[in-house]
Structures are given as structure tokens and as C-alpha cells.
Amino acid sequence: MATNPASPTVADIFKTMDYGPAPESDKEALAWLGKHHQKFGHYIGGAWTKPGKAFDVINPATAKVIARVTDGTKADVDAAVAAASKALPAWKALSPHARARYLYAIARAVQKHSRLLAVLESMDNGKSIRETRDIDIPLVARHFYHHAGWAQLLDTEFAGYEAIGVVGQIIPWNFPLLMLAWKIAPALAGGNTLVLKPAEFTPLSAMAFAEIVHEVGLPPGVVNLVNGHGETGAAIVDHPGVDKIAFTGSTEVGRIIRKATAGSGKKLSLELGGKSPFIVYDDADLDSVVEGVVDAIWFNQGQVCCAGSRLLVQEGIAERLVAKLRLRMEKLRLGSPLDKAVDMGAIVAPVQLERIRELVQQGVDEGATMWQPSWACPTEGCFYPPTLFTDVQPSSTIAQVEIFGPVLVTMTFRTPEESVAIANNTPYGLAASVWTESINLALDIAPKIKAGVVWVNSTNLFDAAAGFGGYRESGFGREGGREGMWEYVKRGERRAPKVAQPAKRPAARKAPRAASAGGGLPPVDRTPKLFIAGKQARPDGAYTRRIVSPSGAPVGEAPEGNRKDIRNAVEAAHAAKGWGRATGHNRAQILYYIAENLAARADEFTARIESMTECGSELARAEVDASIARLFTYGAWADKYDGAVHSVPIRGVAIAMNEPIGVIGIACDERYPLLGMLSLAAPAVATGNTTIVIPSQRHPLAATDFYAILETSDLPAGVINIVTGDKDALAKVLAEHDDVEAMWYRGGREGAKAIELASASNMKRTWTAWDDRDWLDRDEGEGREFLRAATNVKNIWVPYGE
Ligand code: NDP
């Protein structure tokens, strides 16, 4: 029977298997917007502010204005911070169980309103309803459920820790409600109150969330939402009443925030950009790979910080894979985000579309081959087709710069070693996908890639139980899981009285010279040098600093290290990175051996400390004994600081590995010249890092005496390098050095500020403090806090099953 093409029968459709449109209704979302007269103020202290000077919110798929939102001023931010501060004591004092109930109620409410939230998100952001309905919103609910659990367990699982205070949170537009959940859920679970700024392009789901918070009866002021632009974000960052900043967005703004918070004592976590590799080995299942690529780079139109935007393919299969990809790209469907049958929706805003166009043009101009499917994009709204580049040089702009759009660049490699080298050839370090049928190869490669998340034969998997976050210019800190909760708590005030201290420092008196002469002979001269690459090295500048005791007695001389010495030390620390691959058992043995050698010379070190600091022999001896014990502590930890296997809702596992950060610069406390140094160097070394240590500036001679112990303890050359001299100046050089991956600093507030400012060059992790830590006290001086600071958590996702 002939059929009428205008009204096809089921049989006709079955033959062609063509998609028809499957539009989701926007009626409820429009009604919700109507209820608010399409105008929104801020949500502060449990109430809506009256809408003020506003900006347009545009549906990027239709280019129509769907709402107007108030542009937050400094006064609005002040009001929000005041509300959060006022709400803090009561919220913090609630029982963990009570906070858990609130988080649970929020999770339930998100589920109850899930369709409204999904539609609203699609209209506001342009992402497909398939994604908002099946990925974003379910993950939002999952985050609140998971963190209801952490709220419940807070006082047992984070014993000794407490809320940080008022948290400022700034989120981007690519996953508006999901990013809000990633920020708000752990903050509330930790007992903090907060002020959050949604992205200017996508504030609407946050406004709906304010209603949810209201509906569940969260105490006023616990959650405050202030709309606005970058300046509003900057006002939150700069506000003195804010104790922590959590930011997700571009590396450029992350750098501005790092500098703005330097020296303020505000805790900071940054989740920034990426240029993540998607590595395909020649034994991979290519059909799965093709679907993986679709999820890696065309998910959310490629506007994903961890998008697999660099496809690295083993040479022998490159042609076959590219051909398959092109076929698949021809079949991708792009169109109205509210059509349930589309794969790709709209780009968030014209400015982003323009940026994608410019970068693609640059790729073409630089000589790469560009390919797009033959079908045309809708002409209204912000749409950009999936795009594939081949013949790309690893150094070209499109291989290096985050495009933040549906653009995939392809490069080839020959060997697994080469794949790792190309994968790591980026300043970023957010995520990676590894595709191979060989689990041995996958698990060999995963730890070698500098990225916070590695997906094996999968991509873009997220869950509240597994931490997410990067290395290097992708930022620091984790969101999700136990590792993410640490970002929202701080060490509590100590309840127990401090351990009794040995005798107080006596009044100043003349100290004995460390190497006293015997039998009427003049003492043998001891000229300490620097300790670089396992050898004692003369300082480059050939200057020496006179060291005197507090009462002015001369106790010796110490070399004056300079910029060049620091550079040599960094080079030595890099050359020693094999230390990170040594077994925990091996590292433990060496730490115990160092302790053993120190114990053998305890008297000598006691005398040295006493002469330098005039603290009295009892306290000096206590410092040496505590140093030996501290080395034992980290010898003990070296093979016990285990990772975790997270319980994620897939058929598979997420393995959270504690990885060494790499090269760590350490500027030590002035007090406790030996113990202060070892309390920092030992955890760094126990976890596989290599170090450049700047000892106490006033009392450096315990460190220079320590060379002899290091030389006799089998520690590989370059694992601990020691440069004495002007602490702040040397520490700043380390903080500026792009090959130093983290910087710890203990000293003055100004020094700490200089370190944090300088660290923005490569966004290295910093740990600065100007508090008075009692290193003799085990609670303050050792433990997991130090091990966490010395490691990055890498989550490796390994799905299983056929
Ligand atoms: P931004 O980093 O500029 O914006 C992220 C958030 O920070 C927004 O809420 C923004 O406000 C706010 N903000 C901007 N400037 C400041 C400031 N000085 N102080 C405090 N907060 C500030 O990203 P864009 O939206 O401009 O996107 C630009 C590029 O960033 C993209 O092309 C993409 O490459 C990258 N990006 C990366 C993301 C990621 O997850 N890694 C997410 C989003 C973007 P406002 O909305 O008004 O700009």
C-alpha cells in the first residue's frame, strides 16, 4: 500500500528508523518564571530582596530574554555576608544529625521538583533536556544525599575539626545547579554558612533552589544567593567576613582570586580549566571508543572543564578511528535543547560562540585539517557543530588552549611512553581517559598522567562519593567524597590541655660554642655549606651569614644561599623524582635509619640547639627526642597512608590513590630549628615527594649539622635539599619557580602573602601559616593533616563487566 509521506505509518517509521521531534513542554517552567514576574532579586537572610538594577537572562537556543536578574552590588554582598555571619553560630552548634536532616530534605525536594529544574536549566543554559534530566539533576540530588551522610558522621569521621565559618562560593555557567550542589552540600555538611554567586549567564536554577531551601525551612542566612557579574564575585572574594573561597571557572579568574586572597588567611579551593587527553591504544574496542568520544567532547557541547578535548590515538589505528568518528558525527543530532531526541543543544552565549569560532579559525590558519558533518545547524540561537581536527601539532594553539566548545583535536603517538609525554604536555592537569583492553596497561598509565581524575575505558563519570579536582593550572582542592569534605573543615580549638612542656626558656646567658676546643688547641674550623643533590655544595654567591644566639653569643656561620642555589636544588629535586616510585616499605626503612643516626648523635644536636636558641638543655633534649619520634611517626606512616576504593553507583570502582605532589618547597619555622624542620620534611618525604628545605633563618645550624646524618642514611641524593639564608627571599624564589609543585611556608604574614602571590604563576598548591604551632605536641605537630598536605588524591575509575 502506498503511504502518504505527510502522515507516515508506524511501519514507515520503523523502516527508516528516523527520529521525530520529541519536545518537552516548557509550560511549567514558564509558569514558574511568570509567578516571579520574570524578575529576581537576591536571596539573603531567608528572604528575597526587591529586584533592583537588572540584567537580561537569555535562552541561548532562541535568543529570547526569559528573565531579568538583579546585578549584585557591594552592599548586597555585605548584607549577604552579614546574614551568613549571623546564622553561623546557631548552624554550627546544631547537632550533626539535625544538619543531616536538612540536607536530606533538600535532596528530597530536588527530586520532587526535578522536572522543573531540568527544563529550567535547559532553557537557561542551552544544554539538552536529556542531559539535565538524566545527569545534572539526579547528580544534584545525589550530592545532597551523600553529604547528608557526611553531616551525620561529621563529629566521628572528622573528629577534632570544625566548620571554617562563612564560605564564599562562585560558580560557572556550564553546570549551573550541579556546581551549586558541589559547593553548597559539603559546606552545609561541615557546619558552614555561605554566600554563593551563580554565573551571570545561568542564574535561574539557583533561584529555584532558593525556593527549595525556603521550602525545607533552612534557618535564614545559612544559604545566601547573590546574583551578578564578575565584580559581584570579586566583592565576595575581597570581603573580610568571608573565611573561605571556593571557585570554579577559568584559570585566568582563578589566578586573580589566588592573588586577591594572598595573605588574607582565607582558605581557597580552585577548580579551573583543562585540556584533558583521551588516549586510545591499538587494542581498544573502537566502537566503544567512538561512543566514549561522543560523551567526552560533545557532552554539554564540549563546555566541560574535564572534556576529553585532545584525542591521542596510537598510530596504527588512527585512520580507522577517524573514519568511524566521522560516520558517527554525521549521525549526531543538534537542535532545540528541549527536544528529548537531540544529542547537542546550544552554546551558552554569543560571546562563547565567537570564542569557539575564533579558535577554530586559528586552528585552520595554523595548518590543521578541520572537518564538520554535512548537516547544517539551526540559524537562530547559539549553535556550533561538532568539529574534528586532524594533522594537529602538539604545540599548536588548538592543542594547548581550552576551547570550551565541541571541538576535538587529534594527535597520534607510537608508544605508551610517548602517549604519556603528549598527555602531560599541557599546563593543566584535570582529567584523562585511557582506552585499552589491557588492564595492565591502563593501570600502568593512569598514575603516570598528571591529572586528578583518570577514567579507564570510560569518560565523564562523576559521583558525590568520588573526589573531583585537578593539579597544576587546573587548580587545587577536591569536590566530592571524603577528600572534598576536608575543604570545608578546619582544625578545631583544642579542648584538651597541652602536653606539659619541659622547663621554660631561661634568661639569656652566654652559650658554649658548639665545637669547643680541647687540650688547649684551637677548635677545628667547621664551615657548613648547602646540601644539594646529596652533596655539600658551596653557596653560589660565596657569602656567609654569622649566626648568634639570642644573647648575642656567636655560634657559627651559615652559607647565604641565593636564587641560583635554589635553581640547582630544584633541579636536584626533580632528578630524584624516582623516590615517588620507591615502595612505602623502602621509604619507611630510610626514615627509621635517619632516626637511628640522629639518636646516635642526640647529645651533639642537643648541645647545638641549646647553644643556638639558649632554650636550656632540657628543652633542647626534648626537641631532639621529639625529632627522633617524629621520624618514627612518618616511617610508620610511609606504608600506611592508604587510599580508598570509593563506593560509586556504577558497575566498577573508583580507586582514590594518594599521590605525591612532586617537588615541594618548605620554608621552616623559626622556633624548634630541628623539630620544626623534620615535622615538615618527614611527611613530605614519607609520601614520596622530593624537597627543597629552607631551615630556620635565625637558627640554621641544626639543619646544616643534619647533612651528615642524611649522608649516612641511604637517602637518595636530591630527595632532601637544604638551602640556608634569607628565608623569605629564598621562599619567594621557590614559590615563583614553575618546576616546584607546592610550597609550604611558616613565618610572618607578609612572607605568607608574598608566597601566595608568587604561587599564582603556575597555580601551585600552597600551605602557609603564621600561627604559633607547638611542634612538641603530637596533636599539633604530626599526623594526617601533614600527609594530606603532601599528597594529591587521584581518582581512577575502572568500570567492569562486559
Ligand atoms: P569565568 O571564570 O570568568 O567565570 C566563572 C565565575 O566567576 C562566574 O560566576 C563569573 O561571573 C565569576 N567571576 C568573573 N570574574 C571574577 C572575579 N574577578 N572575581 C570573582 N569572580 C569572578 O568564566 P567565563 O564564564 O568568563 O568563561 C570564560 C572561559 O572560562 C571559558 O571559555 C572557559 O574556557 C573557561 N571556563 C571554565 C570552566 C571550568 O569549569 N573549568 C567553567 C566556565 C568557564 P560572571 O558570570 O559574571 O562572569
Side-chain angles (χ1 to χ4, degrees), residues 92-115:
K92 207 170 141 179
L94 273 188
S95 72
H97 178 60
R99 283 197 298 267
R101 284 187 178 208
Y102 280 115
L103 280 149
Y104 180 72
I106 294 174
R108 302 289 280 182
V110 166
Q111 284 186 315
K112 274 186 274 185
H113 299 295
S114 62
R115 194 51 70 95

Short mmCIF file of all heavy atoms in Angstrom, two decimals, residues 92-115:
data_model
loop_
_atom_site.label_atom_id
_atom_site.label_comp_id
_atom_site.label_asym_id
_atom_site.label_seq_id
_atom_site.Cartn_x
_atom_site.Cartn_y
_atom_site.Cartn_z
N LYS A 92 26.27 26.14 63.26
CA LYS A 92 27.45 25.37 63.64
C LYS A 92 27.17 24.56 64.91
O LYS A 92 27.68 23.46 65.08
CB LYS A 92 28.57 26.39 63.92
CG LYS A 92 29.96 25.90 63.73
CD LYS A 92 30.91 27.09 63.81
CE LYS A 92 32.16 26.69 64.54
NZ LYS A 92 33.13 27.77 64.64
N ALA A 93 26.31 25.14 65.77
CA ALA A 93 26.04 24.48 67.05
C ALA A 93 25.00 23.37 66.92
O ALA A 93 24.81 22.58 67.85
CB ALA A 93 25.58 25.52 68.07
N LEU A 94 24.30 23.33 65.79
CA LEU A 94 23.30 22.26 65.62
C LEU A 94 23.99 20.90 65.71
O LEU A 94 25.16 20.78 65.37
CB LEU A 94 22.68 22.36 64.23
CG LEU A 94 21.48 23.25 64.01
CD1 LEU A 94 20.95 23.01 62.60
CD2 LEU A 94 20.38 22.94 65.02
N SER A 95 23.23 19.90 66.09
CA SER A 95 23.84 18.57 66.12
C SER A 95 24.06 18.11 64.68
O SER A 95 23.33 18.52 63.77
CB SER A 95 22.91 17.59 66.83
OG SER A 95 21.81 17.33 65.99
N PRO A 96 25.07 17.27 64.45
CA PRO A 96 25.28 16.74 63.10
C PRO A 96 24.01 16.11 62.54
O PRO A 96 23.69 16.27 61.36
CB PRO A 96 26.38 15.70 63.29
CG PRO A 96 27.14 16.17 64.47
CD PRO A 96 26.12 16.81 65.38
N HIS A 97 23.28 15.45 63.38
CA HIS A 97 22.06 14.79 62.91
C HIS A 97 21.04 15.82 62.40
O HIS A 97 20.38 15.61 61.38
CB HIS A 97 21.47 13.93 64.02
CG HIS A 97 20.18 13.28 63.62
ND1 HIS A 97 20.09 12.41 62.56
CD2 HIS A 97 18.92 13.41 64.12
CE1 HIS A 97 18.83 12.01 62.43
NE2 HIS A 97 18.10 12.61 63.35
N ALA A 98 20.94 16.94 63.10
CA ALA A 98 19.98 17.96 62.66
C ALA A 98 20.38 18.51 61.29
O ALA A 98 19.55 18.68 60.40
CB ALA A 98 19.91 19.09 63.70
N ARG A 99 21.68 18.75 61.12
CA ARG A 99 22.12 19.25 59.80
C ARG A 99 21.87 18.19 58.72
O ARG A 99 21.51 18.50 57.59
CB ARG A 99 23.59 19.66 59.85
CG ARG A 99 23.81 21.01 60.53
CD ARG A 99 25.17 21.59 60.20
NE ARG A 99 26.24 20.74 60.68
CZ ARG A 99 26.84 20.87 61.86
NH1 ARG A 99 26.49 21.86 62.67
NH2 ARG A 99 27.78 20.05 62.23
N ALA A 100 22.08 16.94 59.10
CA ALA A 100 21.84 15.85 58.14
C ALA A 100 20.38 15.85 57.69
O ALA A 100 20.08 15.64 56.51
CB ALA A 100 22.21 14.51 58.77
N ARG A 101 19.48 16.13 58.62
CA ARG A 101 18.05 16.15 58.24
C ARG A 101 17.76 17.24 57.22
O ARG A 101 16.96 17.05 56.31
CB ARG A 101 17.20 16.37 59.48
CG ARG A 101 17.09 15.15 60.35
CD ARG A 101 16.11 15.40 61.46
NE ARG A 101 15.96 14.22 62.28
CZ ARG A 101 14.85 13.94 62.95
NH1 ARG A 101 13.80 14.74 62.89
NH2 ARG A 101 14.77 12.86 63.70
N TYR A 102 18.39 18.40 57.41
CA TYR A 102 18.17 19.49 56.44
C TYR A 102 18.69 19.09 55.05
O TYR A 102 18.03 19.29 54.04
CB TYR A 102 18.87 20.77 56.90
CG TYR A 102 18.12 21.54 57.94
CD1 TYR A 102 18.63 21.70 59.22
CD2 TYR A 102 16.89 22.13 57.65
CE1 TYR A 102 17.94 22.42 60.19
CE2 TYR A 102 16.19 22.85 58.61
CZ TYR A 102 16.72 22.99 59.88
OH TYR A 102 16.04 23.71 60.83
N LEU A 103 19.89 18.51 55.03
CA LEU A 103 20.46 18.13 53.73
C LEU A 103 19.60 17.06 53.06
O LEU A 103 19.39 17.08 51.85
CB LEU A 103 21.90 17.65 53.91
CG LEU A 103 22.87 18.81 54.04
CD1 LEU A 103 24.06 18.47 54.91
CD2 LEU A 103 23.37 19.26 52.68
N TYR A 104 19.12 16.16 53.88
CA TYR A 104 18.25 15.11 53.35
C TYR A 104 16.98 15.72 52.76
O TYR A 104 16.53 15.37 51.66
CB TYR A 104 17.92 14.14 54.48
CG TYR A 104 17.02 13.00 54.08
CD1 TYR A 104 17.50 11.97 53.28
CD2 TYR A 104 15.69 12.95 54.51
CE1 TYR A 104 16.67 10.93 52.91
CE2 TYR A 104 14.86 11.90 54.14
CZ TYR A 104 15.36 10.89 53.34
OH TYR A 104 14.54 9.87 52.96
N ALA A 105 16.44 16.69 53.47
CA ALA A 105 15.21 17.35 52.99
C ALA A 105 15.48 18.08 51.68
O ALA A 105 14.63 18.08 50.76
CB ALA A 105 14.70 18.33 54.05
N ILE A 106 16.64 18.69 51.55
CA ILE A 106 16.97 19.38 50.29
C ILE A 106 17.04 18.36 49.15
O ILE A 106 16.51 18.57 48.06
CB ILE A 106 18.30 20.16 50.42
CG1 ILE A 106 18.14 21.31 51.42
CG2 ILE A 106 18.72 20.72 49.06
CD1 ILE A 106 19.43 22.07 51.74
N ALA A 107 17.70 17.22 49.41
CA ALA A 107 17.81 16.18 48.39
C ALA A 107 16.42 15.73 47.93
O ALA A 107 16.15 15.60 46.73
CB ALA A 107 18.60 14.99 48.93
N ARG A 108 15.54 15.51 48.90
CA ARG A 108 14.18 15.08 48.55
C ARG A 108 13.47 16.15 47.73
O ARG A 108 12.77 15.85 46.77
CB ARG A 108 13.36 14.81 49.82
CG ARG A 108 13.94 13.79 50.74
CD ARG A 108 13.85 12.42 50.19
NE ARG A 108 12.54 11.81 50.36
CZ ARG A 108 12.26 10.57 49.99
NH1 ARG A 108 13.18 9.84 49.40
NH2 ARG A 108 11.07 10.07 50.17
N ALA A 109 13.64 17.39 48.13
CA ALA A 109 12.94 18.47 47.42
C ALA A 109 13.47 18.61 46.00
O ALA A 109 12.71 18.87 45.07
CB ALA A 109 13.11 19.78 48.19
N VAL A 110 14.76 18.41 45.82
CA VAL A 110 15.32 18.48 44.45
C VAL A 110 14.66 17.39 43.60
O VAL A 110 14.27 17.62 42.45
CB VAL A 110 16.86 18.30 44.48
CG1 VAL A 110 17.41 18.01 43.08
CG2 VAL A 110 17.53 19.54 45.07
N GLN A 111 14.51 16.22 44.18
CA GLN A 111 13.86 15.14 43.42
C GLN A 111 12.41 15.47 43.10
O GLN A 111 11.93 15.25 42.00
CB GLN A 111 13.96 13.83 44.19
CG GLN A 111 15.34 13.24 44.11
CD GLN A 111 15.44 11.88 44.74
OE1 GLN A 111 14.92 11.68 45.83
NE2 GLN A 111 16.12 10.96 44.09
N LYS A 112 11.72 16.06 44.08
CA LYS A 112 10.30 16.38 43.86
C LYS A 112 10.12 17.39 42.74
O LYS A 112 9.15 17.37 42.01
CB LYS A 112 9.68 16.93 45.16
CG LYS A 112 9.20 15.83 46.09
CD LYS A 112 8.48 16.40 47.29
CE LYS A 112 9.46 16.73 48.38
NZ LYS A 112 8.90 17.17 49.63
N HIS A 113 11.07 18.31 42.63
CA HIS A 113 10.96 19.36 41.61
C HIS A 113 11.88 19.10 40.43
O HIS A 113 12.24 20.03 39.70
CB HIS A 113 11.30 20.72 42.23
CG HIS A 113 10.40 21.10 43.35
ND1 HIS A 113 9.05 21.36 43.17
CD2 HIS A 113 10.63 21.25 44.67
CE1 HIS A 113 8.50 21.65 44.34
NE2 HIS A 113 9.44 21.59 45.27
N SER A 114 12.25 17.85 40.24
CA SER A 114 13.33 17.58 39.30
C SER A 114 13.00 18.01 37.87
O SER A 114 13.86 18.53 37.16
CB SER A 114 13.72 16.11 39.34
OG SER A 114 12.62 15.33 38.94
N ARG A 115 11.75 17.82 37.44
CA ARG A 115 11.46 18.15 36.04
C ARG A 115 11.50 19.66 35.82
O ARG A 115 12.03 20.15 34.83
CB ARG A 115 10.12 17.53 35.60
CG ARG A 115 9.90 17.53 34.10
CD ARG A 115 11.07 16.93 33.32
NE ARG A 115 11.25 15.52 33.48
CZ ARG A 115 10.77 14.59 32.67
NH1 ARG A 115 10.06 14.92 31.62
NH2 ARG A 115 10.99 13.32 32.89
#
